[in-house]
Amino acid sequence: MELYHNSQDAACRFPLGALPTGSEVRLRIYVHGTARSVMLRTWNNEEKYYPMQQTSISGWEATIRMPKTPSTFWYDFRIEDERGRRLYYGNASDRLGGVGAVSLDSPPSYQITVYDPAFDPPEYLRRGILYQVFPDRFHRSKAPVSDRKDIYLHSNWSDLPIVPDVNSEDQQPLDFFGGDLKGIEQKLPYLREMGISVLYLNPIFRARSNHRYDTGDYLQVDPLLGTMEDFESLCRRARELGIRVLLDGVFSHTGEDSLYFNRYGRYPGKGAYQSRESKYYPWYRFMRFPD
């Protein structure tokens, strides 16, 4: 039995893309082979199943209504073949949508973003040209200096990144090149010349890694990037050139090496890892304290 659904193909999902609250979507899966039944499984705070109707030799479809409030809506498919065997079809392992994959158990689900149709995005975002910058790898204003002993800091900007595992092609997150805020500021005229109107910076808060998604302190600029004064200078110069600065806040999680969790005791005060009495203890959910 061959199964096919492509969330980016209007023949399988219509309309495509994000959908307004309360709207309808038609979902279709193609089953090449004999199926006893095809069920659409959805999840939005609760699990629901919808019997799909066969509308052609291979096509099965169902039309459902989106939630009344903005949310993320999930779906996948459950198929029972002529021998009673159950197959599952959902998102591929990369979870990027498009053509999915067959599974013998519950697969990653597809998702639909459900939005409020009355929401009016700011003009500068709706019609702007946004440029994303990974601060450590964009541009540096000077040779980098750091007293950190746990990182490798490249003196040569043209070095290749350190890749410890050639099979995974994963890069070492403690491998730094020293891109900084002053370096970004120096490149603002170049960005303005390209027509950029919004500069989107990956996290600039103090953190252990080069990507800085493992926030250490939300109230500090990472010293490798510069100072708060450097950030304010960047914003002033950007404004002069008609460029807005947008920060990636990542307020949904922190690093273990942080003021809040403080697993290694490198920050002042008590973090959630160190004591149940920490004011940050309620920020985390422990299966077995302190792990």
Side-chain angles (χ1 to χ4, degrees), residues 29-241:
I29 185 171
Y30 292 92
V31 181
H32 298 282
T34 303
R36 284 185 184 175
S37 66
V38 180
M39 302 289 289
L40 171 67
R41 172 191 172 273
T42 68
W43 175 265
N44 180 252
N45 295 324
E46 63 175 333
E47 187 178 47
K48 292 184 178 180
Y49 287 88
Y50 299 89
M52 303 188 75
Q53 303 300 314
Q54 188 170 9
T55 57
S56 65
I57 294 176
S58 60
W60 295 71
E61 69 177 53
T63 299
I64 58 174
R65 190 170 296 279
M66 292 294 95
K68 295 180 180 180
T69 56
S71 59
T72 303
F73 186 86
W74 306 89
Y75 71 92
D76 53 52
F77 305 93
R78 309 292 166 97
I79 299 93
E80 187 175 312
D81 66 15
E82 58 186 345
R83 294 179 295 175
R85 183 181 59 164
R86 176 173 289 182
L87 297 175
Y88 301 82
Y89 191 95
N91 211 338
S93 59
D94 60 12
R95 300 172 188 252
L96 296 178
V99 178
V102 179
S103 175
L104 296 179
D105 52 22
S106 295
S109 296
Y110 287 103
Q111 75 170 63
I112 299 175
T113 300
V114 182
Y115 66 91
D116 181 353
F119 177 69
D120 187 22
E123 182 78 9
Y124 74 88
L125 285 179
R126 187 170 65 248
R127 300 188 181 278
I129 299 176
L130 186 147
Y131 190 94
Q132 182 176 356
V133 164
F134 182 57
D136 183 63
R137 307 294 165 94
F138 184 65
H139 184 62
R140 66 188 188 193
S141 63
K142 61 183 184 302
V145 177
S146 176
D147 58 2
R148 287 181 58 181
K149 306 300 182 184
D150 61 329
I151 66 173
Y152 184 84
L153 187 57
H154 293 263
S155 59
N156 184 354
W157 182 259
S158 299
D159 282 352
L160 291 176
I162 297 174
V163 183
D165 184 350
V166 295
N167 294 319
S168 71
E169 299 182 353
D170 192 18
Q171 294 186 11
Q172 170 58 257
L174 299 179
D175 176 33
F176 287 81
F177 281 75
D180 56 18
L181 296 175
K182 281 295 183 185
I184 298 172
E185 183 176 344
Q186 291 172 359
K187 289 291 185 178
L188 286 175
Y190 155 73
L191 295 173
R192 179 65 265 180
E193 185 178 344
M194 288 200 298
I196 303 305
S197 59
V198 181
L199 181 62
Y200 168 53
L201 301 181
N202 284 134
I204 66 167
F205 306 117
R206 181 174 177 178
R208 183 167 181 258
S209 69
N210 54 30
H211 54 69
R212 299 185 173 90
Y213 280 97
D214 53 338
T215 305
D217 188 340
Y218 289 111
L219 301 183
Q220 289 188 38
V221 172
D222 193 293
L224 277 167
L225 292 176
T227 64
M228 181 63 75
E229 289 73 23
D230 293 334
F231 177 60
E232 292 170 350
S233 175
L234 168 63
C235 291
R236 282 195 301 270
R237 180 58 178 147
R239 182 180 300 164
E240 292 170 1
L241 295 173

